[in-house]
Amino acid sequence: MLNEELLFVWLQLGNVIDNQRLVAELPFNEALVCGLLSRSDVPLTASDLCNLTRILKSQMNAILCSLEQKGLIKRQKSQNDRRQIELYLLPDGITRYNASHQKTLRLVDLLIQSVGEENIRTLIPLLKQVIISFDKIQKAV
């Protein structure tokens, strides 16, 4: 059945990404947070990160505590709204994230070579459509 096949492939893809340790220097979710902080033009809050990643607030707090203990991020009260705590990637965080990210990009480049650039260009919009559709379905349920 198509639903079983899709679910199986989806789970396999998740396992490949997680188990291959694409971001070996940091746990996956920590690397994800560092990536979002490094690419953002504005300071992000824990709530922003929860919304962007779909990670629960309690899990996000654990991730942020770990990153802070490692000296990779800092928390700072917002100058615009003192109730808000903004998160910043520190220089060591930038260095460690960038090293990890470059390794990941090399792996992705190998994947593109293996699968073919045209197939990847076709796959990206389909994956985006799946994400959007899944979000709509989850909100409706």
Side-chain angles (χ1 to χ4, degrees), residues 105-117 120 123:
L105 286 179
R106 284 192 291 276
L107 289 171
V108 172
D109 286 341
L110 292 171
L111 177 65
I112 292 169
Q113 288 174 8
S114 176
V115 174
E117 190 173 320
I120 296 296
L123 179 62

Side-chain angles (χ1 to χ4, degrees), residues 1-140:
M1 298 188 55
L2 186 59
N3 60 354
E4 287 288 347
E5 188 175 356
L6 177 59
L7 179 60
F8 183 71
V9 170
W10 185 340
L11 294 173
Q12 281 185 307
L13 178 60
N15 283 333
V16 166
I17 290 170
D18 193 36
N19 292 337
Q20 294 301 314
R21 301 291 299 158
L22 294 181
V23 287
E25 287 75 20
L26 294 169
F28 181 81
N29 285 336
E30 288 183 16
L32 179 62
V33 166
C34 287
L36 291 169
L37 292 174
S38 73
R39 287 189 293 278
S40 180
D41 295 333
V42 297
L44 297 175
T45 65
S47 294
D48 295 330
L49 291 171
C50 288
N51 291 334
L52 290 167
T53 62
R54 297 175 182 92
I55 293 174
L56 297 174
K57 193 172 184 175
S58 59
Q59 292 172 309
M60 182 59 69
N61 190 45
I63 293 165
L64 296 175
C65 285
S66 176
L67 289 170
E68 196 170 31
Q69 288 172 350
K70 292 175 183 176
L72 304 181
I73 67 165
K74 74 173 181 175
R75 301 178 203 222
Q76 183 175 313
K77 285 188 179 183
S78 170
Q79 293 181 358
N80 297 330
D81 182 351
R82 304 299 283 170
R83 297 171 295 173
Q84 294 285 324
I85 303 295
E86 298 172 339
L87 303 163
Y88 295 91
L89 200 55
L90 295 172
D92 191 38
I94 294 168
T95 300
R96 285 185 60 187
Y97 171 74
N98 284 340
S100 175
H101 189 62
Q102 290 307 309
K103 287 181 183 180
T104 303
L105 286 179
R106 284 192 291 276
L107 289 171
V108 172
D109 286 341
L110 292 171
L111 177 65
I112 292 169
Q113 288 174 8
S114 176
V115 174
E117 190 173 320
E118 189 61 34
N119 287 331
I120 296 296
R121 290 191 186 281
T122 301
L123 179 62
I124 290 170
L126 288 172
L127 289 174
K128 288 180 179 180
Q129 184 179 355
V130 167
I131 292 166
I132 290 167
S133 295
F134 196 73
D135 279 345
K136 287 179 183 176
I137 292 166
Q138 280 189 311
K139 288 177 184 171

